[in-house]
């Protein structure tokens, strides 16, 4: 198992070069080095994840759709949003570690379920069954 050091956190590795397993390991080692596992009960992690998701939502709270998309053009705002998203992802990874969930398989299973639940021909360009626009 590769041990992560603070210097390694800053290496330029992008999504195409980083595995889910590597991210899980990074979070696990961070938790272990601080002896935080006693605090990482699923209940606590779920609550922390929700809190961080709310902090992410704060960045978009009163913005229009167009303004929310424009965040990508503002490096300062984008960095702040990225930090909150990273917090959400870190708690999700910690939850997967604690529950020993295989994230890749869990996401594949969920996407297959979503494909059945939301067939393309019925939902293309529609947000859901309450959408007033006709299917197709």
């Amino acid at each position: 198992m590769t041990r992560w050091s603070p210097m390694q956190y800053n290496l330029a590795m992008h999504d195409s070069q980083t595995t889910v397993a590597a991210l899980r390991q990074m979070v696990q080692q961070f938790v272990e080095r601080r002896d935080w596992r006693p605090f990482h009960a699923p209940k606590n992690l779920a609550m922390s994840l929700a809190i961080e998701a709310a902090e992410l939502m704060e960045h978009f709270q009163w913005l229009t759709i167009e303004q929310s998309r424009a965040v990508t053009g503002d490096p300062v705002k984008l960095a702040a949003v990225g930090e909150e998203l990273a917090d959400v992802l870190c708690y999700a990874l910690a939850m997967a570690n604690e529950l020993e969930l295989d994230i890749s398989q869990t996401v594949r299973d969920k996407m297959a379920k979503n494909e059945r639940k939301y067939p393309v021909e019925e939902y293309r360009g529609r947000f859901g069954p309450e959408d007033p626009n006709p299917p197709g």
Side-chain angles (χ1 to χ4, degrees), residues 53-71:
E55 290 179 13
L56 176 61
M57 289 187 299
E58 277 186 304
H59 291 277
F60 301 100
Q61 187 170 10
W62 303 110
L63 302 183
T64 65
I65 291 171
E66 294 78 20
Q67 289 170 325
S68 71
R69 288 193 170 124
V71 166

Side-chain angles (χ1 to χ4, degrees), residues 32-98:
E32 287 174 355
R33 283 195 310 274
R34 287 154 182 80
D35 195 23
W36 283 354
R37 187 146 187 270
F39 312 113
H40 279 213
K43 175 197 78 75
N44 294 344
L45 292 169
M47 292 171 67
S48 297
L49 198 153
I51 291 164
E52 294 300 340
E55 290 179 13
L56 176 61
M57 289 187 299
E58 277 186 304
H59 291 277
F60 301 100
Q61 187 170 10
W62 303 110
L63 302 183
T64 65
I65 291 171
E66 294 78 20
Q67 289 170 325
S68 71
R69 288 193 170 124
V71 166
T72 59
D74 183 331
V76 173
K77 288 181 183 177
L78 188 60
V81 167
E83 284 190 18
E84 298 303 342
L85 182 58
D87 286 338
V88 170
L89 292 170
C90 286
Y91 277 118
L93 292 167
M95 175 78 83
N97 287 343
E98 182 64 27

Side-chain angles (χ1 to χ4, degrees), residues 5 11 26-27 35 41 47 63 80 82 87 91 99 105 111 117:
S5 70
L11 292 177
M26 187 185 308
V27 169
D35 195 23
M47 292 171 67
L63 302 183
D87 286 338
Y91 277 118
L99 296 175
Q105 190 60 54
M111 291 307 297
K117 186 175 179 180

